Amino acid sequence: MGAKCTRTEFEYSYTDEPHATRRKEILAKYPEVKELYGADYSMLFIVPFVVTFQIWMCWMLQDASWPITITLAYLIGGTINQSLTLAMHENSHNNVFNRNYLLGRLFGMFITLPIGVPASIAFKKYHSEHHQFMGDDVKDQDIPHPLEAKLFDRTFTKVIWLILNPFFYALRPCIAYPKPLTPWEVVSFVVQMTFNYVMLVHVGGAKGLFYLLGGSLLGMGVHPMAGHFISEHYIFFDNGQQTSSYYGPMNYLCWNVGYHNEHHDFPWISYRNLPKLKKLAPEYYDYLPHHTSWVKCLFDFVTKPDIGPYARIKTASSCGKLMDVNNEEHNQKAD
C-alpha cells in the first residue's frame, strides 16, 4: 500500500484571499493592465481544426486493433481532449466572446464534442464559484471531499485516486453541492448524446468512440497533461500559497493554464495575454515558487507522504467570510 500520508486534515488560512488583494495592488500600480482585457478570437481558428482532427481519428480507428486503439487514446486522444477541456475552461471565463453569452454557450458545447461529456454549461456554473470563493468548504468544489482525502491517503491509493479523478471531478459537485438543472444543460446533453451516437453508429464504431471517451478519461488520470490538476492548488511549497503557477512547454498545449496565479488574479485576461501580465508586473510573480514539470508534480503527489488529497488550503470563507474584496468587479468581468 506504500507510505501513509502525514497530513490528516486540511490546512486553514485566515488571511485575506491573495488573488483579490494582489489584483487590487496591480491595478493601482499598473492601470495599463486593463489594456490586456477583452475578447480573444484566436480559439475560433484553432478549436475547429482540433475538433475536426479528433473526428478524423475516430473514423481512422474503426478497424484498428484494441491495443492500438487504447494506446492512441492515451497518447493522442487524452492529450488533445485534455487540451479541449482547458479550452472549455478558457471559454467559461467569457474570454472568447466577451459578454455574448449565447455564442459562448454554443461554442462551449462545440468544444466538448470530442470529449464525449456535456460538461461546458455545468462546469461554468461551478467554476465561477471556485474563483470567487476559493477554499470554501462548500462552494469550492475543486477541493477533494474529506471522505476522498481519508480513503486515498497512501502511495498506492493515491494512484487509484488519480485514475478515478475524472469521476471525482465530475460527480463531486453534483453530490456535495447540487444545483438546479438548467435548460441549457438539457440542450447540451441532447447535443452531446447526438454527437456520440453519430460517432458510434456512422463514423468510428466502438473503437472510435472509445478513442474519444476513453481518451478523455485517460487524459484526466495518470497522464502528463493531468498534472495541472495537482500543480494548481495543492501544497507543494512551505510558504502557504494557495495557488501555484507552472512555467513550461505544456502551456502551449493547454492555453497557458499553467499561468495560474496570473489567471486567478485576472480571470478575464485571455490565455495569450497572461504571459504579458507576468512580464508587466514581475515583482508580483517572479518571487513565487512555481512548477516546471507536471510529470514531477504527479510523481511527488504519489510518492511524498506530505502531499495528498489533504494537501489543500481552506480559507476563512468556510466560516462565512466573503473572500473576494473586489467581488463586484469579479462578477462583472468573470461572470
Side-chain angles (χ1 to χ4, degrees):
M1 294 290 287
K4 185 177 177 63
C5 290
T6 56
R7 293 181 184 271
T8 58
E9 59 183 19
F10 297 103
E11 289 197 15
Y12 283 83
S13 171
Y14 298 93
T15 60
D16 288 338
E17 194 270 325
H19 300 293
T21 301
R22 189 160 53 232
R23 178 190 313 129
K24 189 174 182 179
E25 292 181 6
I26 292 175
L27 283 169
K29 188 173 183 179
Y30 300 105
E32 62 270 29
V33 75
K34 293 183 178 181
E35 297 175 9
L36 300 178
Y37 296 2
D40 187 333
Y41 300 114
S42 60
M43 274 193 176
L44 298 179
F45 301 96
I46 301 172
V47 169
F49 172 80
V50 177
V51 170
T52 301
F53 177 82
Q54 287 294 77
I55 295 173
W56 178 77
M57 282 294 296
C58 176
W59 175 74
M60 286 289 292
L61 289 172
Q62 58 185 312
D63 296 320
S65 67
W66 275 109
I68 289 177
T69 300
I70 294 170
T71 300
L72 292 181
Y74 179 81
L75 294 177
I76 300 178
T79 300
I80 293 178
N81 278 3
Q82 184 58 208
S83 178
L84 287 172
T85 299
L86 293 167
M88 174 191 74
H89 163 262
E90 178 74 6
N91 180 67
S92 75
H93 288 286
N94 306 317
N95 290 336
V96 181
F97 295 102
N98 203 1
R99 298 183 68 81
N100 191 322
Y101 302 132
L102 174 60
L103 291 180
R105 291 186 180 106
L106 294 175
F107 189 57
M109 287 188 279
F110 176 73
I111 291 172
T112 60
L113 289 178
I115 297 172
V117 180
S120 62
I121 306 298
F123 174 82
K124 180 179 175 64
K125 70 180 183 181
Y126 282 104
H127 187 67
S128 63
E129 293 195 357
H130 164 63
H131 278 262
Q132 295 180 59
F133 307 102
M134 189 177 70
D136 185 271
D137 262 331
V138 176
K139 294 182 178 179
D140 186 359
Q141 285 299 310
D142 187 73
I143 299 176
H145 190 275
L147 185 59
E148 294 175 53
K150 186 175 182 179
L151 291 177
F152 300 94
D153 64 345
R154 292 179 178 271
T155 301
F156 176 73
T157 56
K158 284 190 285 185
V159 174
I160 301 301
W161 185 81
L162 288 175
I163 294 172
L164 297 176
N165 182 51
F167 299 101
F168 288 128
Y169 199 80
L171 297 177
R172 184 191 303 135
C174 302
I175 296 172
Y177 184 34
K179 293 186 176 185
L181 189 69
T182 67
W184 274 105
E185 287 177 277
V186 176
V187 172
S188 179
F189 179 83
V190 172
V191 169
Q192 187 65 63
M193 292 305 106
T194 302
F195 176 84
N196 291 354
Y197 174 80
V198 172
M199 292 300 103
L200 175 65
V201 176
H202 299 292
V203 179
K207 293 172 184 175
L209 186 63
F210 177 85
Y211 168 81
L212 298 178
L213 277 168
S216 297
L217 295 176
L218 294 170
M220 290 182 68
V222 183
H223 190 285
M225 294 281 279
H228 81 89
F229 289 112
I230 305 303
S231 72
E232 292 167 357
H233 298 293
Y234 285 83
I235 303 171
F236 282 83
F237 311 111
D238 59 4
N239 64 343
Q241 68 187 60
Q242 292 174 250
T243 306
S244 299
S245 289
Y246 156 82
Y247 303 127
M250 285 192 176
N251 276 316
Y252 291 106
L253 298 175
C254 294
W255 314 92
N256 282 334
V257 76
Y259 288 79
H260 217 65
N261 269 303
E262 296 85 345
H263 169 66
H264 268 266
D265 289 351
F266 294 91
W268 48 86
I269 289 182
S270 74
Y271 75 99
R272 288 199 299 173
N273 286 337
L274 290 176
K276 297 177 183 178
L277 169 63
K278 182 178 183 295
K279 186 176 181 180
L280 177 66
E283 68 273 27
Y284 288 96
Y285 300 111
D286 287 354
Y287 77 94
L288 293 173
H290 61 272
H291 301 285
T292 57
S293 170
W294 279 338
V295 173
K296 186 176 186 301
C297 285
L298 292 173
F299 181 80
D300 288 346
F301 179 85
V302 169
T303 59
K304 290 188 175 182
D306 62 330
I307 307 175
Y310 271 124
R312 292 291 296 262
I313 295 175
K314 294 188 176 184
T315 70
S317 67
S318 299
C319 303
K321 176 183 175 182
L322 182 63
M323 295 184 319
D324 195 340
V325 298
N326 199 19
N327 195 40
E328 181 179 355
E329 181 177 2
H330 187 288
N331 284 334
Q332 292 175 350
K333 295 291 185 179
D335 188 32

